[in-house]
Amino acid sequence: MEQAAFHFPYHGTPVSCERFGSGHINRTFIVTTDTGDRYILQCLSSVAFHDIPGLMDNIIRVTQHIAAKTPGEDSTLHFLPADNRLYYYLDESGAYWRSYRYVDAICIQLPETPDDFYQSAVAFGTFQNQLSDFPAETLTETIPNFHNTPDRYRKFWKAIADNLSGRAGNVQPEIDFYLSREEAGGSLQRMRDQGILPLRVTHNDTKLNNVLLDEKTRKAVCVIDLDTVMPGLSAFDFGDSIRFGASTAAEDEQDLEKVSMDLELFRTYAEGFIAACPGLTPEERAALPIGAKIMTLECGMRFLTDYLDGDHYFKTAYPEHNLVRARTQMKLVADMEEKWSEMERIVAAL
Ligand code: ADP
Ligand code: GN1
Ligand code: MG
């Protein structure tokens, strides 16, 4: 990490470099220099990403596109070229590093007020809107089939059959829960294949902790974690935000009694997202609740797949961590099924 830090053109000399943030994928550090400047330094996950040059090319072009449209330094991330003039540094062990300016803003795990959530909806909706004129076909698919739920099911079936961790026998109820929803889980992909829902440039990982808020005004400053910006459906971005931020508890809450989907937060997010994305078609609007359910189902199944595979993809803090996460997502899916007509009514009324 120290070796990597010295390959970026920082203002001043680095005096500290500490682990930072709460992402599940990359290893993130904050670097402070003797001039008091701060930077984010990240070692990219080689398990998740197989084409880092293509991924960084996407990010540079997307951030430049947004910067050209918005005043204010912090409206998007600013990456630094390394001393090889590329936007990444490849170290001797084969690990890829990148660095960008630290944005002095806060990152939260659950909304403290409904307005925090509304602001995140405006930020992700605006992000999608700003990229509506970006040539989507020129973007590298950084993780192929990322939100292709039927493909996620194929990987899930394989993980059950391979049972690499030897854990499959202990989680039959969880496996059954996800398998019983396979048909419903394919509906977004079917609507995409049939051309009912248009492809857009989407973020694809719209967790509340992937947006930064101003500490004083609580307005959104910018969207971060751009590794999965690729062509996708608006329902993905809406749905993943609901999955994470409209939950009444953390993604890894062990007491399932605490976990439910808050309909008022659902309404708040839908209001902000639809206001920021005026170009959504009637079919896209109608698919927003489906996005919430399928993103939750898919993410929970990904956690369970990783649990069955032996925890190679998501960072875990204890052995059952991915299983705990898979169970909170099941609870949320079941809760959405109960609240389904209300979710549809809320979106239809907007
Ligand atoms: P991951 O793919 O691992 O989620 P992220 O790019 O989301 O990686 O970064 C991990 C965490 O680091 C974020 O959730 C956030 O807490 C923090 N972070 C990243 N960039 C910044 C930044 N520019 N300013 C402040 N915090 C940041
Ligand atoms: C990962 O990178 P992070 O922590 O923001 C994952 C998302 C999942 C999420 C679940 C590239 O997001 O797809 O929804 O964990 N990102 C990638 O918390 O797989
Ligand atoms: Mg993240």
Side-chain angles (χ1 to χ4, degrees):
M1 166 262 284
E2 281 178 19
Q3 188 203 355
F6 285 97
H7 288 274
F8 290 95
Y10 295 144
H11 188 227
T13 304
V15 290
S16 73
C17 184
E18 285 157 16
R19 277 304 281 268
F20 190 70
S22 50
H24 293 344
I25 304 296
N26 299 313
R27 275 191 299 140
T28 304
F29 301 86
I30 182 165
V31 176
T32 307
T33 71
D34 58 1
T35 51
D37 290 274
R38 286 179 288 179
Y39 302 88
I40 294 289
L41 176 67
Q42 285 184 313
C43 181
L44 287 148
S45 164
S46 59
V47 179
F49 306 113
H50 301 147
D51 176 9
I52 306 289
L55 177 151
M56 285 311 298
D57 181 65
N58 281 1
I59 292 183
I60 297 302
R61 289 188 297 121
V62 161
T63 52
Q64 285 175 352
H65 189 89
I66 294 174
K69 289 188 172 186
T70 44
E73 304 232 281
D74 287 339
S75 56
T76 190
L77 298 178
H78 294 275
F79 287 80
L80 309 180
D83 50 11
N84 56 11
R85 300 201 196 171
L86 302 170
Y87 284 95
Y88 52 84
Y89 163 71
L90 179 60
D91 75 15
E92 285 153 14
S93 73
Y96 284 90
W97 296 80
R98 67 165 172 217
S99 193
Y100 52 96
R101 291 211 307 254
Y102 174 75
V103 178
D104 197 7
I106 57 167
C107 171
I108 55 176
Q109 304 305 319
L110 280 178
E112 283 162 26
T113 65
D115 195 53
D116 284 349
F117 202 39
Y118 184 84
Q119 294 303 327
S120 76
V122 172
F124 284 123
T126 303
F127 180 86
Q128 191 173 115
N129 206 36
Q130 284 167 335
L131 293 170
S132 58
D133 58 347
F134 189 95
E137 67 288 352
T138 65
L139 287 171
T140 297
E141 221 186 327
T142 56
I143 302 181
N145 293 313
F146 190 56
H147 285 316
N148 179 338
T149 314
D151 189 66
R152 294 287 181 186
Y153 265 101
R154 282 189 278 280
K155 290 170 178 147
F156 183 48
W157 277 106
K158 183 168 179 346
I160 298 166
D162 292 350
N163 192 14
L164 294 176
S165 63
R167 291 160 158 172
N170 303 334
V171 290
Q172 200 57 50
E174 288 81 1
I175 290 175
D176 291 344
F177 180 94
Y178 287 106
L179 290 183
S180 69
R181 286 156 177 84
E182 184 166 4
E183 163 68 20
S187 68
L188 276 185
Q189 185 64 32
R190 283 194 292 275
M191 287 192 271
R192 174 180 177 160
D193 293 342
Q194 292 162 4
I196 297 169
L197 298 176
L199 265 192
R200 299 183 178 276
V201 177
T202 48
H203 182 282
N204 297 307
D205 188 2
T206 52
K207 299 202 298 199
L208 184 63
N209 66 16
N210 284 334
V211 60
L212 302 177
L213 303 181
D214 185 283
E215 191 170 8
K216 288 209 184 75
T217 65
R218 304 298 282 207
K219 299 269 182 258
V221 179
C222 71
V223 165
I224 63 169
D225 201 349
L226 308 176
D227 299 328
T228 51
V229 176
M230 315 180 249
L233 303 180
S234 50
F236 296 161
D237 282 4
F238 178 84
D240 199 48
S241 287
I242 298 300
R243 174 191 80 72
F244 191 85
S247 172
T248 51
E251 190 184 63
D252 58 357
E253 173 59 58
Q254 302 197 12
D255 180 358
L256 292 177
E257 290 291 310
K258 294 184 181 158
V259 182
S260 65
M261 200 274 300
D262 184 320
L263 271 176
E264 279 315 305
L265 286 176
F266 177 86
R267 184 197 311 274
T268 299
Y269 195 92
E271 280 171 3
F273 193 77
I274 288 176
C277 280
L280 293 182
T281 65
E283 291 77 14
E284 282 181 292
R285 282 166 177 248
L288 296 178
I290 304 173
K293 181 175 160 187
I294 292 187
M295 286 299 97
T296 312
L297 181 74
E298 180 191 277
C299 192
M301 180 171 61
R302 290 172 62 200
F303 290 140
L304 191 55
T305 302
D306 199 33
Y307 182 75
L308 293 170
D309 283 344
D311 306 322
H312 301 303
Y313 188 90
F314 296 104
K315 277 190 221 143
T316 50
Y318 54 92
E320 306 296 288
H321 207 163
N322 270 321
L323 179 59
V324 166
R325 291 169 176 151
R327 287 180 177 148
T328 59
Q329 306 307 291
M330 288 162 56
K331 181 77 193 292
L332 287 172
V333 168
D335 197 38
M336 288 183 204
E337 287 168 352
E338 292 211 342
K339 293 172 177 164
W340 193 248
S341 51
E342 193 53 27
M343 287 164 70
E344 288 196 317
R345 243 197 313 275
I346 287 170
V347 170
L350 290 174

